[in-house]
Amino acid sequence: MADTVRELPSEIAGYGAVRPYTGAFDNLGTLRRAVRTVHAARPGSDKVLPDIDAAIRACDLRDGAVISFHHHLRNGDGVLNHVLDAVARAGLRDITVAASALFPVHAPLIGHIRSGVVTGLAASTIYGPLAKAISHGILARPVLMYTHGGRARCIESGDLRIDVAFVAAPTADAYGNLTGSVGRAACGPLGYAVTDAQGAERVVAITDTLVPYPAVPIEIGQDWVDFVVAVDSIGDPSQIVSGTTMATTNPVALDIADTAARVIAASGLLEDGFSFQTGAGGASLAAAAYLGRIMSERGVQGSFAAGGITAGIVEMFDAGLFRALMDVQAFDHAAVDSFRRSEAHQTMSASMYANPHNRGCVVNRIDATILGAAEIDRAFDVNVTTGTDGVILGGSGGHADTAAGAKLTVITTSLAAGRHAKVVERVTTRTTPGETVDVVVTDGGIAVNPRRPELAERLHAAGLPLTTIDALANRAAELAPVPPRDRSHDGRIVAVVEYRDGTVIDVVRAVPET
Amino acid sequence: MADTVRELPSEIAGYGAVRPYTGAFDNLGTLRRAVRTVHAARPGSDKVLPDIDAAIRACDLRDGAVISFHHHLRNGDGVLNHVLDAVARAGLRDITVAASALFPVHAPLIGHIRSGVVTGLAASTIYGPLAKAISHGILARPVLMYTHGGRARCIESGDLRIDVAFVAAPTADAYGNLTGSVGRAACGPLGYAVTDAQGAERVVAITDTLVPYPAVPIEIGQDWVDFVVAVDSIGDPSQIVSGTTMATTNPVALDIADTAARVIAASGLLEDGFSFQTGAGGASLAAAAYLGRIMSERGVQGSFAAGGITAGIVEMFDAGLFRALMDVQAFDHAAVDSFRRSEAHQTMSASMYANPHNRGCVVNRIDATILGAAEIDRAFDVNVTTGTDGVILGGSGGHADTAAGAKLTVITTSLAAGRHAKVVERVTTRTTPGETVDVVVTDGGIAVNPRRPELAERLHAAGLPLTTIDALANRAAELAPVPPRDRSHDGRIVAVVEYRDGTVIDVVRAVPET
């Protein structure tokens, strides 16, 4: 539809031809996955190499290569920085880093970009100093910002060709069987790494816990791993809980969370077999707790909760509110522990989780999801990619995936934060299209997407305070009377925001340093 | 080497160009895996179809298609016959059935071949009336006989393109998550089916136990399954134990088994970390028991046992003789039960098990294996494909794979069976090349492959009765003075025996009906 198509160039230098986003479910059907190159192991050959430098040589890594990383250790990850240092020592240039997500701990990438070692980046979310540097134009080529499902899609399709995947493995054996369940830096499921290992031409496992063969329970099998390197530490597991995974204590946020739970309760979906996912935002986590209380009161037993899994979700699972957990990544140590002890706490690959181009991903089975927003606009489009200042502050992660799959997508946000409106005329950057958003819950009331009149009726019947998105936007503008930022001085495209199907849903442009 | 190359045509009608076998490890290195076609699911779409006929329509199955089946239910499998009946009802012709193995229960295939519904077959082993019918020329096109690892290889490489894989699933949910751990026909791991599901264009799960979503523990994820069909019964699980998986009580066989265990004990490999696989033959199973006794006496803790897993191996695992089991397929109910209850009883896909063209399969990690033989010859070549009468009686299964991977491959056989020698001048059909066989243990003594002088020394030092393969062949000829069958009346090629790397190691020709 015309109203959802942003003006995009037909070609972006350093990215290529642009296929513009046209609709959330426009590019399904019959698809082809790429030819894969593998290097067959000879019986008796050894996979263990003395260090990362040796692995880089063994993989025959060249200038211009694409290397990948996963973010199960989140802000505690030590592997990406170690590898990039080794890449720099090897004298390599023009490397593209295709990460599942990048955290403040990865700020040293800035140095590698400045020195020309790294000239390309791709990530589903980028936090911290690196995000700021990108927004200020540190890279000549635009960053590719995919969704978690879109990343799996483009690896499988061959749109993203990974030369070498580096897998941070909490436990490995000498022949490359890997598990995240146990080890000094146990992180739980290795869902993002599974997709990398199956897609890359070469796979290097880096571990600080090398155990006798076989490293059971195996999550990534030896048939996917070329080399194994033992290091002193793959990172700091205490930093798995970081940033967005803390629950809120803000009373306004708690009130929004409570209302979001009541929206779900009134939606008609909260019956036996109910399935649920929250984002990692503070309000979302609080909403899960309220929802759990309603489920207990009603005696509803859910089928599963999905996502990154948190302590709050584990509590609901342990209380019998869900029969299973579908987990691509543990968000805290309670989730790591639950994954280790519970058979019904299942791992899933990034593709199984959220890839729109397979035979059916888990987000397709979610009844209700509660997600956050940096901004939401009159078209229900959501921005979790940039701040109102235009600077990158995150990215989709699974946001756009979950919204597309879930029967009911609830966005929670305050009307304004400080002097800036959060319900706006038009989002700074479109991450998640409004057609996949059903309702927004704010401290100024609830607005239902006009595409969902039957939902509005149900919420109205339940006595929930409904208003319209326009009324919310008007109220937000009153509360935060700062005019939208003047974007006329923004520069070239610094990031391309891909929707999960590989179409371009928006771009991020360079903003001047302030 | 010239002495291991059999005369083969350069082209076989109905098969294509022949790449002759040249050596067990000649075709490794860098390889390409095929482009895959997938059909992306639309959120909200349903995968459950009312019956197999509907699944055939939904998959748009056409004349000339290739459909695949796995053999986890062995002689109890009910799915293949059900599907072929539906294929016939649909009026389809010229179908190729690519099975992992075919059993006596699949004899109704003969009728579908006679009627022209099925015109092509591929299987790693074929037992029963169908094997006989093939040897007598029922099919115009030769049957492809691959190894278990070779089957995974050719599916991944695209040499074998599967249009629709039919997966017999002991438990499934409505969105295609599958497990073999539980259900009315629980069969344990689904290792062969994993490779089919990942390789086929369409995947149909057929189950008699449809459970609420998600069907945990998930072995094959929903992202690999297009459709789900619930039927009354997928087969008779009591028939999983059948044929070759019964332990022997024959005193000569027991004596051979005891000697085989002592060969391993004297080989230098029986130390902590020892790994082991047996075939499913009676003598092999008995040998495992003897080996377990030696391990207990010596206080050796093995790392893992692999393969199809049997009650005997489970006993060793439960006694702590192995830390883990690597299981592609349960051979009996004790193995099914162990798989359900033990985390260290791991599943593995057919590719992870034995595919020579991945980054390292499990057979590469096996220290010692004990395998059977229909015949073994002066070049240590082994035949498990045909009888001395030239009629197909099995096939490699994992025989050639395990022999290639293991450090020590022990073949056990009696010198003769009835009037037929088993240690022969030249095997009727070459299944497993002699260069991958280290020692043969018979009721007439032990012969070590001259390629392994250091092994001969160790066995000699341990006081084991060594002789030569020529002496064994001569003695067998004396015991069973029937001259080799006159093969001059054999007809056209009815089966092509592929080595695990896709080269042709032998062919089977039609034999006249007697």
Side-chain angles (χ1 to χ4, degrees), chain B residues 493-507:
Chain B
I493 293 168
V494 295
V496 176
V497 182
E498 273 193 2
Y499 191 59
R500 57 203 300 255
D501 64 359
T503 59
V504 176
I505 192 164
D506 210 341
V507 295

Side-chain angles (χ1 to χ4, degrees), chain B residues 74 241-249 253-254 257-258 260-261 276-292 306 308-316 331-332 370-372 412:
Chain B
R74 300 178 67 80
V241 185
S242 62
T244 58
T245 64
M246 307 286 199
T248 186
T249 52
L254 286 174
D258 182 42
F276 181 59
Q277 178 167 342
T278 50
S284 303
L285 297 175
Y290 289 118
L291 188 67
I309 296 295
T310 58
I313 296 292
V314 169
E315 253 176 60
M316 294 170 78
F331 275 152
D332 53 36
I370 300 176
L371 301 169
T412 56

Side-chain angles (χ1 to χ4, degrees), chain A residues 296 301 305 309-325 333-335 337-339 341-345:
Chain A
S296 294
Q301 192 192 30
I309 295 295
T310 57
I313 296 291
V314 168
E315 253 175 59
M316 294 170 79
F317 172 60
D318 286 343
L321 297 180
F322 294 108
R323 279 188 291 102
L325 299 179
H333 295 286
D337 179 58
S338 166
F339 179 63
R341 67 184 154 76
S342 305
E343 188 175 61
H345 186 154

Side-chain angles (χ1 to χ4, degrees), chain B residues 147-223:
Chain B
T147 73
H148 282 326
R151 182 171 190 271
R153 183 204 61 74
C154 69
I155 292 172
E156 291 181 354
S157 73
D159 290 350
L160 176 67
R161 292 192 177 269
I162 299 172
D163 293 295
V164 183
F166 291 92
V167 176
T171 294
D173 64 39
Y175 212 56
N177 292 297
L178 313 181
T179 177
S181 292
V182 289
R184 283 151 57 196
C187 64
L190 294 173
Y192 295 112
V194 169
T195 301
D196 286 32
Q198 296 185 347
E201 179 170 341
R202 290 288 199 179
V203 177
V204 177
I206 299 177
T207 190
D208 53 15
T209 308
L210 192 64
V211 299
Y213 182 96
V216 293
I218 297 166
E219 184 163 0
I220 296 178
Q222 60 186 49
D223 47 330

Side-chain angles (χ1 to χ4, degrees), chain A residues 132-313:
Chain A
K132 209 161 180 170
I134 292 164
S135 284
H136 295 142
I138 193 175
L139 278 161
R141 276 196 279 154
V143 173
L144 170 61
M145 299 190 75
Y146 31 46
T147 72
H148 282 327
R151 182 172 191 272
R153 183 204 61 75
C154 69
I155 292 172
E156 291 181 354
S157 73
D159 290 349
L160 176 67
R161 293 192 176 271
I162 299 171
D163 293 295
V164 183
F166 292 92
V167 177
T171 294
D173 64 40
Y175 212 56
N177 292 296
L178 314 181
T179 178
S181 293
V182 290
R184 283 151 57 195
C187 64
L190 294 173
Y192 296 112
V194 169
T195 301
D196 287 32
Q198 296 185 348
E201 179 169 342
R202 289 289 199 179
V203 177
V204 177
I206 299 177
T207 191
D208 53 15
T209 308
L210 192 64
V211 299
Y213 183 96
V216 292
I218 297 167
E219 184 164 0
I220 297 178
Q222 61 186 47
D223 47 330
W224 298 107
V225 176
D226 291 280
F227 301 111
V228 178
V229 176
V231 296
D232 288 340
S233 166
I234 61 168
D236 176 3
S238 73
Q239 295 298 306
I240 289 176
V241 185
S242 61
T244 58
T245 65
M246 307 286 199
T248 186
T249 53
N250 174 317
V252 173
L254 286 174
D255 195 49
I256 293 170
D258 183 40
T259 307
R262 288 191 290 130
V263 164
I264 292 171
S267 69
L269 293 165
L270 195 65
E271 296 180 341
D272 279 344
F274 173 73
S275 55
F276 180 61
Q277 179 167 344
T278 49
S284 304
L285 297 175
Y290 289 118
L291 188 67
R293 206 163 54 197
I294 298 170
M295 290 174 74
S296 294
E297 283 164 14
R298 291 199 187 172
V300 166
Q301 192 192 30
S303 55
F304 73 97
I309 295 295
T310 57
I313 296 291

